[in-house]
Amino acid sequence: MRIVFMGTPEFALPTLKTIYEKGYNIVGVVCQPDRAGNRGKVEFSPIKKFALEKNLPLFQFASISKEGEQTIKNLKPDVMITAAFGQILRQNIIDIAPIYNVHASILPKYRGAAPINGAIINGEKETGVTIMKTDIGLDTGDILLIKKLKIGAEETAGELTQRVSNLGAEAMVEALELIKTGKAVLKPQDNAKATHFKTMKKEFGLIDFNKSAKELFNFIRGLNPWPGAFYYLNDKLLKVHKARVIDAKDVVENIPHKFIVKCGKKTFLELLEVQPEGKRKMTGEEFLRGNR
């Protein structure tokens, strides 16, 4: 079975690494073009680094649908796999060979680009991965299999992403075995139950303290590490990396020593780890010592 893999960031790496280690015939790896990182230095994506290390045929297109059609056809794939590739595939690519995508939610919930963030922000207790066959819609394809996992009570988006990416690798290997043996059964999604979570930008992280402490606790961990939650204190940006809900009866006793904020619905949030503009991360107590 000839496989073309498409992916770019760290999330995609466990899937590529696992199918490589399982001995599948990877005839091509496609990732996004190189981009400038810190201080303008060009950085290779995790997928590009792995492909170069293992001497896998590597291709990079600004738009695979516009530039890569003939290249992919020449590879004669039986199956294509996508995991956080970062480009919308047009019909000309979809028609080359069946494409199976690792999506980081239990579809049809949380279609879109930020399913892990959305699940945490909305206070979900469970998420998972879906292996779906790609069609022209946004995460609307038929489902091959789903694997679920529990979300930790204090788990951040970064921590959950790592667990979901590992689960995605496991799920994709299982899916490939079903495809190889002719046992794959596809089920259509129930579009009436579909939910979406919008693509996030940095400004999305602005904290609204009119919301309840529980909502903000989920919001902060759902945006950790990116794009990050923040607000403005005396016109200076203050990032909030970690917080916890504090019981109202404990507030009076703790206020002299803790960074506690009154939120909506008469609830209270303790800011455990913050980062003033241009400075290092510090505990809420450290911050208060210099900002009475």
Side-chain angles (χ1 to χ4, degrees):
M1 186 161 55
R2 297 172 62 84
I3 296 173
V4 168
F5 180 89
M6 304 178 196
T8 303
E10 192 72 30
F11 178 86
L13 186 58
T15 299
L16 176 58
K17 184 177 180 181
T18 300
I19 63 175
Y20 174 83
E21 291 173 349
K22 293 288 184 182
Y24 283 96
N25 183 22
I26 302 170
V27 297
V29 173
V30 185
C31 65
Q32 294 267 44
D34 302 331
R35 288 184 168 84
N38 294 331
R39 300 179 182 177
K41 182 181 178 182
V42 173
E43 297 180 354
F44 292 171
S45 70
I47 292 301
K48 179 172 181 176
K49 290 177 183 176
F50 184 85
L52 293 173
E53 178 187 329
K54 302 301 181 184
N55 293 315
L56 296 171
L58 177 68
F59 307 92
Q60 294 176 274
F61 305 106
S63 170
I64 188 173
S65 297
K66 293 179 180 179
E67 306 166 8
E69 179 180 353
Q70 192 56 53
T71 299
I72 302 303
K73 284 181 176 178
N74 291 343
L75 295 172
K76 299 179 180 179
D78 298 304
V79 172
M80 294 190 281
I81 293 171
T82 55
F85 178 43
Q87 294 184 21
I88 295 175
L89 302 180
R90 296 182 182 176
Q91 197 66 50
N92 63 325
I93 301 298
I94 294 172
D95 288 341
I96 295 173
I99 303 173
Y100 292 91
N101 180 55
V102 181
H103 184 76
S105 79
I106 302 171
L107 288 173
K109 293 186 71 173
Y110 297 106
R111 292 174 176 173
I116 292 174
N117 309 85
I120 293 178
I121 289 170
N122 288 337
E124 300 283 1
K125 306 297 184 185
E126 180 182 65
T127 189
V129 292
T130 301
I131 305 300
M132 52 155 276
K133 187 177 181 183
T134 299
D135 62 15
I136 201 63
L138 178 62
D139 301 324
T140 56
D142 292 347
I143 293 170
L144 176 52
L145 63 86
I146 290 174
K147 286 188 173 291
K148 301 179 181 180
L149 53 72
K150 298 294 184 183
I151 299 175
E154 299 183 0
E155 196 165 19
T156 66
E159 292 164 345
L160 183 58
T161 295
Q162 187 59 58
R163 291 206 298 134
V164 171
S165 67
N166 291 334
L167 185 64
E170 177 186 321
M172 183 54 76
V173 169
E174 187 174 327
L176 287 172
E177 287 301 304
L178 292 172
I179 295 165
K180 186 170 69 174
T181 58
K183 296 178 181 178
V185 177
L186 296 169
K187 296 180 180 179
Q189 295 187 40
D190 184 349
N191 292 323
K193 295 181 179 179
T195 62
H196 297 77
F197 197 80
K198 59 186 178 183
T199 301
M200 294 184 302
K201 298 180 180 179
K202 285 187 177 181
E203 55 266 30
F204 182 82
L206 180 63
I207 297 171
D208 178 4
F209 283 108
N210 291 310
K211 293 183 178 180
S212 73
K214 180 64 173 177
E215 289 176 288
L216 294 178
F217 167 72
N218 292 334
F219 182 76
I220 291 163
R221 65 193 183 98
L223 299 184
N224 183 341
W226 195 92
F230 65 92
Y231 73 106
Y232 290 95
L233 184 62
N234 298 327
D235 295 324
K236 291 187 177 181
L237 187 143
L238 183 71
K239 293 180 181 178
V240 181
H241 296 287
K242 189 176 181 181
R244 72 180 178 101
V245 178
I246 186 166
D247 195 289
K249 68 177 185 290
D250 296 327
V251 171
V252 174
E253 179 182 342
N254 284 292
I255 273 183
H257 312 288
K258 307 289 186 181
F259 193 169
I260 296 172
V261 183
K262 185 178 180 182
C263 306
K265 301 178 183 178
K266 298 180 180 179
T267 58
F268 298 88
L269 190 74
E270 181 183 354
L271 308 188
L272 297 171
E273 185 178 83
V274 299
Q275 185 173 6
E277 189 172 344
K279 297 183 179 180
R280 63 172 179 84
K281 292 180 183 179
M282 61 184 70
T283 66
E285 293 176 66
E286 286 179 298
F287 178 81
L288 286 185
R289 283 199 290 269
N291 295 272
R292 285 293 177 184

